[in-house]
Amino acid sequence: MLGFALSSVLAQLHPDTPARYRPLPPLREQARLQNEWRDMRLARVPALLQKYGVDAWLISQREYAEDTVWRAIRDATADSPHRRTVHLFHTNTSSLGGAPNPLTWIDNTGAIWPALTSILEQYNPRTIALNVDKDLNYASGLHVGELRALQEHLGVEWKQKIVDVPRMMVVEFLGPRMEGQKEWFGVLMENAWAIIEEAFSARVVKPGVTTTIDVEWFMRDRIQSLNLTTWAHPRVSIVTPSKEPGWEGSSSLIHEGDVLHVDYGVSAPLMALHTDTQHLAYVLRASEGERTPPVGLVEGLRVSNRMQELQLEVMRPGMTGNEVLRKINERMMEEGIEGQVFSHPLGDWGHGPGAVTGFNNLPTHVPVIGDLMILPDTFYSIELFAYHTLLGTNTTLRFMQEEDVWWVPEKGCWEWVHGRQERLHIIDAAPEEKRFDSMLRVQS
């Protein structure tokens, strides 16, 4: 028997009503909002540079070979840097006379280099940070060709002042969500739920006819119909005892009695918003008169729900991902839960910059990104699975769940963005009249 009792829930749970399809603003308004959020982010740069002892931050890229950071500072209607685009962030001291931050040059003739060095001579920074970190992807976006060009054209004096950009400076620049993003993230999250609820229903799934790939492409079509896209294609699979935790789908034919799993991410790219969700469904054995899922499946979902609670009880801003992971593993051991956590931030990317709590192949410690700090104004995806052996059988399944949260400073806790799955999605292929007869029998 598991050594835990169900605790009080930290926030909103499984919603009582079905999710609704909710429109996002027109694209023009989405672009306006994204540019507004970008400007808020850029306004924080001088203070970040000062915090991390950096005088200048230089970003250089060319068309279709952009720096990772460029996506966070671009105009919402720009798909790629134009020609060679160079940005110089600075601490806005009087030596530049209130110059824009960043200073930007766009050129394809080579005239950019004397203009840049002229500004450097005027500003005279002690350090110039480049995005060349060998371990953190968000801090390593400078392409090798651009690095060589900088080394060739900057001159010895400025090359000697080049340093690797501080990791946490990049994370603090890219990770936090701006005021106003939260409202629209909630709308996007409800759409993600609505798509799952429709896909995992008898309207879409016909046992013995529908395959998991059919469900995947139904979801893609529905996403597109909402003027949204994906950063992670829906991967639908049948949960089996031998299935390793992963993200591949399958081409399996769906039958009654199957447990279905989906993992996918919905994106509103103009607003730089991305969800990440994993849910489970059960296909009733309707031909045998089954009206509810087996008790063992309900219990298994309950165990993974408890793991979610443990993470939210443990995880606090300022902790590193590895500190959180260690405490979760300790709590799971105390309560007799077997499973694994591999949670991550959400931001301008589905796998956003910031502290990771575990990896599928790194269950106890994650180098580099596991040692980053959790930020309070970052959306976070609680991703995990629990092992559970079904009652009266030797069958052990992985109950894989993923749900998104945000930090609520007034309450000092994380809350689910749209709730969390506490009930299996039920696919009932019984004819409508049989469902009604069954309901009458249950009521009587």
Side-chain angles (χ1 to χ4, degrees):
M1 172 152 325
L2 294 173
F4 68 84
L6 284 180
S7 65
S8 59
V9 178
L10 301 179
Q12 179 187 5
L13 302 183
H14 199 122
D16 293 329
T17 57
R20 297 173 296 142
Y21 289 118
R22 299 175 59 192
L24 269 67
L27 293 180
R28 184 173 183 176
E29 176 63 9
Q30 290 187 38
R32 185 194 69 79
L33 287 169
Q34 175 57 10
N35 286 340
E36 184 178 290
W37 297 333
R38 174 209 59 200
D39 292 344
M40 292 179 187
R41 175 181 277 165
L42 291 176
R44 302 170 64 246
V45 170
L48 273 178
L49 296 181
Q50 292 172 342
K51 177 178 178 178
Y52 288 95
V54 172
D55 289 333
W57 185 17
L58 184 61
I59 298 170
S60 182
Q61 62 260 297
R62 283 173 287 174
E63 190 173 17
Y64 308 129
E66 66 268 16
D67 191 295
T68 311
V69 168
W70 179 82
R71 291 180 59 181
I73 61 178
R74 68 183 178 93
D75 185 273
T77 60
D79 293 323
S80 182
H82 198 46
R83 300 185 174 93
R84 171 176 275 121
T85 299
V86 174
H87 300 289
L88 181 69
F89 290 98
H90 54 86
T91 53
N92 204 22
T93 61
S94 58
S95 61
L96 292 182
N101 207 339
L103 289 156
T104 300
W105 296 267
I106 301 174
D107 180 71
N108 63 352
T109 68
I112 199 167
W113 305 119
L116 173 61
T117 53
S118 174
I119 286 292
L120 291 176
E121 289 169 1
Q122 181 180 345
Y123 181 38
N124 194 28
R126 294 165 298 174
T127 56
I128 304 172
L130 298 182
N131 294 342
V132 292
D133 189 283
K134 69 181 181 65
D135 293 313
L136 183 63
N137 51 344
Y138 300 104
S140 60
L142 185 67
H143 288 235
V144 172
E146 290 303 283
L147 177 60
R148 289 176 177 170
L150 288 170
Q151 291 171 334
E152 178 182 347
H153 293 287
L154 282 185
V156 175
E157 177 185 359
W158 303 117
K159 284 194 293 185
Q160 290 175 344
K161 297 186 177 185
I162 288 175
V163 297
D164 290 5
V165 67
R167 290 172 183 166
M168 274 308 298
M169 188 184 89
V170 176
V171 170
E172 286 194 51
F173 175 63
L174 295 176
R177 304 294 83 199
M178 298 295 106
E179 183 180 350
Q181 283 187 293
K182 190 171 182 178
E183 172 190 354
W184 293 113
F185 187 58
V187 172
L188 188 64
M189 192 72 243
E190 184 168 2
N191 281 317
W193 270 65
I195 293 165
I196 295 174
E197 289 174 2
E198 185 179 10
F200 282 167
S201 73
R203 177 179 176 274
V204 174
V205 177
K206 311 298 180 186
V209 176
T210 307
T211 68
T212 51
I213 286 182
D214 293 335
V215 181
E216 290 179 0
W217 284 105
F218 170 83
M219 296 178 77
R220 279 300 295 265
D221 286 338
R222 175 61 71 231
I223 291 165
Q224 182 169 311
S225 75
L226 298 169
N227 287 325
L228 303 172
T229 186
T230 62
W231 69 271
H233 175 79
R235 285 149 298 196
V236 178
S237 59
I238 297 171
V239 179
T240 65
S242 61
K243 179 173 172 56
E244 291 297 318
W247 299 269
E248 74 284 357
S250 68
S251 58
S252 304
L253 189 63
I254 298 171
H255 295 94
E256 291 185 348
D258 283 342
V259 179
L260 303 182
H261 170 257
V262 65
D263 182 4
Y264 84 131
V266 179
S267 298
L270 266 184
M271 303 177 84
L273 296 174
H274 308 276
T275 69
D276 202 0
T277 313
Q278 295 183 54
H279 278 199
L280 294 164
Y282 178 67
V283 186
L284 287 175
R285 299 180 188 274
S287 63
E288 302 174 13
E290 186 178 51
R291 307 311 307 148
T292 57
V295 172
L297 298 181
V298 176
E299 291 176 344
L301 191 63
R302 173 177 172 266
V303 178
S304 59
N305 283 160
R306 178 55 184 158
M307 285 182 62
Q308 292 174 324
E309 292 178 2
L310 290 178
Q311 178 154 1
L312 298 199
E313 288 171 6
V314 165
M315 187 169 69
R316 287 292 178 270
M319 297 176 68
T320 69
N322 284 325
E323 288 172 341
V324 174
L325 181 60
R326 185 179 67 254
K327 289 183 178 294
I328 293 172
N329 286 339
E330 290 172 354
R331 294 284 300 275
M332 287 169 57
M333 185 175 294
E334 291 171 2
E335 300 194 7
I337 298 174
E338 289 187 69
Q340 192 175 326
V341 172
F342 30 94
S343 301
H344 60 84
L346 295 158
D348 292 351
W349 300 265
H351 290 153
V356 167
T357 305
F359 262 130
N360 184 40
N361 61 327
L362 298 168
T364 59
H365 181 86
V366 180
V368 184
I369 54 178
D371 289 325
L372 297 175
M373 285 192 303
I374 292 169
L375 301 176
D377 42 8
T378 300
F379 301 152
Y380 216 84
S381 188
I382 307 302
E383 185 174 5
L384 48 80
F385 70 81
Y387 288 106
H388 184 68
T389 301
L390 305 186
L391 187 66
T393 74
N394 291 321
T395 302
T396 300
L397 298 182
R398 293 177 177 88
F399 288 78
M400 296 170 279
Q401 288 192 283
E402 187 167 13
E403 216 70 79
D404 300 343
V405 300
W406 49 35
W407 179 256
V408 183
E410 310 85 57
K411 299 181 181 179
C413 68
W414 301 92
E415 287 192 350
W416 307 104
V417 175
H418 183 69
R420 65 169 182 180
Q421 185 188 14
E422 296 181 316
R423 302 188 296 270
L424 293 164
H425 300 288
I426 299 299
I427 300 168
D428 185 358
E432 198 66 38
E433 62 273 13
K434 288 191 176 181
R435 294 184 208 168
F436 182 70
D437 289 344
S438 176
M439 288 173 61
L440 290 178
R441 287 195 297 272
V442 169
Q443 290 173 358
S444 62

